[in-house]
Every structure is written in C-alpha cells, then in structure tokens.
Amino acid sequence: MLPSLPARAVLFVVLFAFGVGCRPARPGALPGGGTAWSALRSERFVLHTDRDVTTSRVLFDQLEATHAAMARVAFPGRPAEPELIEVIAPRDPDALATLDLPPLPARPEGNAATSAKGRASFLRTSLDPRVEAMILLPEGFHPGALQRALAIRFVRQSVGAGPAWLRLGLVDHYSALQTSLDALTLGAPPPGVKLTLDRSAVQASGAGDGDPRRGEVSAQVHVDDIPPIDQLLAAAPALFGSPFGLEPRPGVGAPSMPHRVGAWALVHFLLHGPPTISGRFPDYLARVERGMPDLVPAKLLFGAQGTRAAEPLFRAHLRALAEQPQTRRTPFTWPERGKRLPDPASRALGEAELHLLWARLTPWDAGHAGAVRDHLERARATGTDEAEVTFWEGLFALHEERVDEGETLLLASNRVAPSARPLGELATLYLDRLDRSPDDEATKKKLGAIVDQLESRAETTAELNRVAWSHAVLGQGARGLPFAERAVRQRPGCWACFDTLARLFYQQRRYDQAVDAQRRALASDQLGSKKADVTQRLRCLEATAKAARARKSASEADCWQTR
C-alpha cells in the first residue's frame, strides 16, 4: 500500500523551539537579514546555521556523537537509513518568530513559571522526501532535547509497528541516556520523572509540570499507582501520550501519567530486571522489529505463566526504582576519542537557498500561504538552481490543489535534473488518479514512464515501496517484488510495505506468502483508520488461499479492490 498523501514523503519532523516570541514579520523575511548562514553536511546530518565556525563544528560533533551512542549501544545492529537528518540551528531564537509555531497547551494552575518558559516540542510532517527528521535547535537548547529527537527516530525505525507502551517506554528510557568520557549510563528515569513511596509527594506534584525545553514528562508517581503489567500491555495508545509528553491530542483522549511512567518502568524491568525476565526481551524486540504478529505478548515476554509470576517481581522492581535509580554503565569509545571526526562538507548558503529553507519551515496552511509564496518567488528571483526551485514550486502548487500546474512544474524539474524527489511526487499523483479511476489508460502510461526512471534512483523505504506499489497497480507483480522485499528488509516495521508485498504475492498466486505478509501488516500498532481495510484484505486472502489449497476456484475479485 502507498501511505496516505500527508504521510507519504517522510516519517516525521521534530521541532524543538524554545523561548520564541511572537513579533510581526513581513512576509518572506529572512532570519537575521539572511546573512552568514552556512550548511555543514555528512552522510547522516545536514546542519543549517548562522553560528560561527567553531560553535557550528562543536554542535555538529555533538550531533554525530549522540547519534553514535544511540546507534551502537541503545539500538545496535540497526541498518543505516538513507534519509538525512536536517538540523536548523539559528543563533537568534527570535528568528523563529516568523514561523508562527503553535503555543504550549494550557498548563495546570499554579504552574505559571512553566507555561512562560517557551514552546514545547512539536510533531510535524516534513515536506522533503529525502529528509527523515528535522530538528530545530535554537541557541541554548538542552542536550536532552536532541537525545529525545534521536531516540524517537531510532524507535520509529526499529519497533515503529510495535505497541504504544513499548514505543513510548523505549523513547523515555533512551532519552535519559547519560554520557561520560569512557562510558554510557542507561536506566536513569526520564528527565523530571520520579517514582516515589511517599503519597504526600505525589499530592504536591502537578502532572506534566516538566520544562518543555528539556522534553520532560515530569511528575512524581507513587509506585502503587502504576497499573499492573496486564493493564499496561492492553491499554489504549492514547493513555501513554505522545513521544514529547502528556499533552492531550484532539480526538484521541487524555493521557495518564501512571500509564506513561508505567511504560518506562516496564521497559526498564524488561531491560534491567532479573535475568529470567531480561533474557527474553531481545527476542521479543526482534519479533516486533520483524513485524511478526504479537497476539500473546505476555507469554512472549514472561513465558508460559504469563504475568502471574512476573507481577510480584515487577512490583519489587518499582520499589527499588523509587528508593534508588537502577542504572547500568556500558563502556563506550566516543567517535572523537583518539582522532577527530571527519570534517563535514561546509559551504555558505545563498539567499535563494535560505528562502527555500524558510519556505519549507513556514506552515503550509491558508494563513501562511502568502509568506510561502513570497519565499518561493524570491528564491526564483535570486537563485541559480532551476531544478530545486521548480521542484518546490510544483510541490506547493499540488498542496494548493493547482494540480495541472504542479504536475507541469514537477515534470520540468525532472527534465532539468532527474532525481527521485520529483519522480516520487509524480508517481504519487498518478497513483492517486488511478485509485479514483482504475481504468484510466493515459494515467497508467504516465505512471509506467515515471516508474521506469524511478527504479534506478529509489533508495529510501518510501521510494522503494512507491515503486513496488506502482508495479502492483500496473499488474507487474514480478517486476515489483524485488523492490517490496528491499523495503521490508530496510524497515521491517513498515506495515504499508508488507501490505504492498502481500498484493504482489497475491498477483503471482503465491497465496500463503500473501497471507503471511498481510498478517505482518495487520500486526502493526500504527494502522489507525486503515485497520478495517487491512483486516478485510486479510480475510479475502485467507479465503483465496484456503480455496487454492482445496483446489477449488476462488473469487477473481482483487482483494485490494474490494471495499
């Protein structure tokens, strides 16, 4: 399956904006007048900043070292992802005022100091298909913000299809990673969170009182208020909040601090508890990462007796955490120890590039459309990279539903400099048309021509899945299968990739393999409103496979065309 339009290009964008005021700014204005901005780039990061050379290099080394710590210790064995992590680090925090970011949610009474500290972290969709994560780090950011951003990235890549308690528990666990010259310390509580045996301390603490600049989900929680393991495993995702804290999300429901802290405590128990417990957790993580169905997590985690024998051990672990942090030191050699990190490629940003950057950062909504358009016009007037400016003009035209103009601009961008970005957006445009009109032969011909070019340029999981899904729509199962298999190997938690793989197997009459792939898609905790469709397709596939085994004629209807 191809993900829905708002999410198809990239996984997520993390913005950490601290102390940003709201001052009027003319449309198209650049931060600091647009002077002295540069870009530093490695295989993993691209840093846009107007800070001096020394400060920029220190920040860049911090990005690389923190990522290395996460990759080598917290999430070992993860394959490198081709998408970039883009970091924007302005010297002047007021430079962000032109972005008009949303304010913090209302804080509890008596916590005015917290609400005045600045803005919390935000989850937004990236506009660049080749940028997986975007991190905005103004002057004075707290290192915990960077750790949380990278922890979210790794959790999304590894167990993104897993249950909410696991995802949020791992994010909070690794956000509290502590570093020293020769070791990393794991197991400290999330910033601002404290388990306690003192009921009076809980009554004096307001839930969610943490400093948003530190990514804190702060409160004191009594150990007896932590739900039992069975309830944590079965709880609705909304009870655990978001990766950034406990702010309510519209239409989702209010989160629960005991559940959120309980998720962290359960992950801590599974990682650092008795060997009979911690020994099972790596196998469970590997199973979740492979997208395997997780029908009886209690038995996978705790053996045949499930949580019955584990619950008393968990309660004892909670009390130990309340009395003293339970941590583990792991030897670690920082990348810069002994030799300097490779120098990133550095160059000055031109005015047009900065206008394009700010066009991407500005919200693409009705209230800011004029500012986005102004930035794009100024980039056109001052720039020399015809393909890049035309690409963003085309993407913005599609966003404003000027579809014919957007298609023309994307085709023009690809003619100037063929690349996966315009090709991918064009493929998605044609797939959307075919979803509405499956027999549109002219659009099929356009899609085929685009996919022919995209095949050799597809690298990211989204691009590989887009090529595979395009071949499925065109009825070219054998040609699309290698791309779908690459996509699920690269990101085993991608439910849409398994949905694509199932359709390609189905087209080749490999029904049992199609059923297995669709079950792995259904095992994801990220389906949302798509769960009913994925379940319906699985039932259709199971019926087809059963008929094939019995050598009976199966329905000729396409399980992906059934509504």
Side-chain angles (χ1 to χ4, degrees):
M1 177 179 181
L2 193 69
S4 59
L5 196 63
R8 69 178 187 268
V10 71
L11 295 178
F12 58 85
V13 177
V14 186
L15 295 180
F16 287 97
F18 315 135
V20 183
C22 291
R23 66 182 183 189
R26 63 182 177 85
L30 291 175
T35 59
W37 278 74
S38 62
L40 287 76
R41 183 165 182 157
S42 66
E43 292 183 358
R44 183 177 297 110
F45 289 98
V46 56
L47 169 65
H48 300 294
T49 184
D50 59 347
R51 303 180 189 182
D52 62 76
V53 174
T54 301
T55 305
S56 300
R57 180 54 202 255
V58 169
L59 174 57
F60 202 89
D61 285 356
Q62 185 178 4
L63 296 172
E64 291 283 0
T66 304
H67 189 281
M70 291 279 184
R72 298 184 195 181
V73 179
F75 300 92
R78 285 296 309 147
E81 292 281 344
E83 294 98 333
L84 282 169
I85 301 173
E86 188 172 29
V87 180
I88 295 88
R91 182 176 63 245
D92 178 9
D94 285 341
L96 307 177
T98 59
L99 301 182
D100 197 20
L101 296 174
L104 267 174
R107 293 287 174 172
E109 289 296 325
N111 194 24
T114 300
S115 61
K117 286 177 181 175
R119 296 169 187 256
S121 357
F122 300 95
L123 190 67
R124 289 178 58 188
T125 302
S126 173
L127 300 171
D128 192 329
R130 281 295 177 96
V131 174
E132 182 197 24
M134 183 181 286
I135 306 171
L136 192 55
L137 295 176
E139 186 74 34
F141 76 93
H142 190 275
L146 177 59
Q147 288 184 191
R148 180 164 290 271
L150 294 179
I152 292 169
R153 175 181 186 265
F154 277 108
V155 167
R156 178 78 184 213
Q157 289 178 353
S158 57
V159 295
W165 68 264
L166 177 66
R167 300 194 315 272
L168 276 298
L170 285 171
V171 166
D172 285 346
H173 181 76
Y174 289 116
S175 294
L177 183 71
Q178 298 174 352
T179 62
S180 63
L181 290 177
D182 58 357
L184 302 174
T185 300
L186 294 166
V193 168
K194 179 175 175 56
L195 278 171
T196 181
L197 300 171
D198 182 1
R199 180 65 66 180
S200 63
V202 176
Q203 294 171 348
S205 170
D209 284 356
D211 184 342
R213 295 175 296 180
R214 298 169 179 258
E216 293 176 354
V217 287
S218 176
Q220 296 201 53
V221 179
H222 197 280
V223 294
D224 292 343
D225 293 337
I226 299 296
I229 295 175
D230 282 338
Q231 292 184 22
L232 289 171
L233 296 181
L239 289 173
F240 299 104
S242 78
F244 309 108
L246 289 176
E247 61 272 16
R249 289 176 289 172
V252 176
S256 158
M257 178 59 74
H259 279 80
R260 178 57 175 267
V261 178
W264 164 76
L266 180 55
V267 166
H268 194 287
F269 176 57
L270 295 169
L271 282 168
H272 307 290
T276 54
I277 300 295
S278 58
R280 291 178 175 272
F281 196 44
D283 290 339
Y284 174 76
L285 287 176
R287 186 178 180 88
V288 173
E289 185 167 353
R290 293 196 304 271
M292 300 297 287
D294 180 17
L295 302 179
V296 192
K299 289 187 177 181
L300 292 172
L301 288 166
F302 305 113
Q305 291 187 331
T307 61
R308 184 170 51 187
E311 185 65 34
L313 298 175
F314 179 51
R315 291 291 142 185
H317 193 78
L318 288 173
R319 291 186 171 272
L321 287 172
E323 292 169 353
Q324 182 178 353
Q326 307 294 307
T327 59
R328 185 184 73 234
R329 283 174 58 84
T330 300
F332 179 73
T333 301
W334 289 93
E336 66 267 28
R337 291 275 312 237
K339 66 175 183 178
R340 186 173 173 80
L341 284 167
D343 284 328
S346 178
R347 62 181 181 81
L349 278 182
E351 183 179 349
E353 292 175 290
L354 197 53
H355 275 296
L356 287 179
L357 175 61
W358 237 247
R360 292 192 287 123
L361 288 172
T362 302
W364 282 22
D365 56 30
H368 299 85
V372 175
R373 195 174 297 111
D374 195 29
H375 281 302
L376 292 175
E377 290 173 356
R378 294 177 188 224
R380 165 70 63 187
T382 59
T384 58
D385 191 339
E386 175 74 16
E388 186 72 4
V389 175
T390 305
F391 170 75
W392 288 108
E393 289 173 335
L395 207 58
F396 187 62
L398 289 182
H399 179 81
E400 292 198 311
E401 298 184 356
R402 294 179 279 119
V403 178
D404 291 343
E405 181 184 351
E407 179 183 1
T408 299
L409 289 166
L410 291 173
L411 287 168
S413 173
N414 190 64
R415 282 195 299 272
V416 174
S419 74
R421 290 192 306 169
L423 290 168
E425 297 302 325
L426 287 164
T428 299
L429 175 64
Y430 299 146
L431 286 166
D432 289 343
R433 288 179 183 172
L434 289 172
D435 190 51
R436 296 189 298 270
S437 304
D439 298 325
D440 184 345
E441 294 299 326
T443 299
K444 286 183 180 180
K445 185 176 180 180
K446 289 182 177 181
L447 177 62
I450 290 298
V451 174
D452 286 345
Q453 299 179 66
L454 185 57
E455 279 188 343
S456 62
R457 296 175 172 88
E459 296 180 3
T460 69
T461 304
E463 291 164 357
L464 293 168
N465 186 50
R466 188 175 288 111
V467 170
W469 185 257
S470 298
H471 285 308
V473 169
L474 295 172
Q476 301 168 346
R479 189 170 166 185
L481 193 58
F483 293 93
E485 291 173 333
R486 282 176 61 191
V488 297
R489 282 197 302 270
Q490 186 161 290
R491 186 160 296 179
C494 173
W495 74 265
C497 302
F498 277 107
D499 187 76
T500 300
L501 184 63
R503 185 175 187 180
L504 292 165
F505 280 141
Y506 176 78
Q507 289 179 342
Q508 295 187 296
R509 300 183 182 276
R510 296 161 64 174
Y511 300 127
D512 288 335
Q513 289 170 286
V515 168
D516 179 66
Q518 196 67 16
R519 284 176 177 166
R520 295 174 75 170
L522 188 59
S524 172
D525 194 46
Q526 302 291 302
L527 292 173
S529 62
K530 300 291 185 182
K531 188 170 185 176
D533 289 342
V534 176
T535 302
Q536 183 178 359
R537 289 196 283 270
L538 177 59
R539 300 293 173 258
C540 177
L541 289 172
E542 289 173 336
T544 304
K546 183 178 179 180
R549 286 193 296 271
R551 298 183 182 278
K552 296 179 180 180
S553 60
S555 170
E556 295 297 322
D558 185 345
C559 291
W560 275 259
Q561 296 296 332
T562 303
R563 292 289 185 264

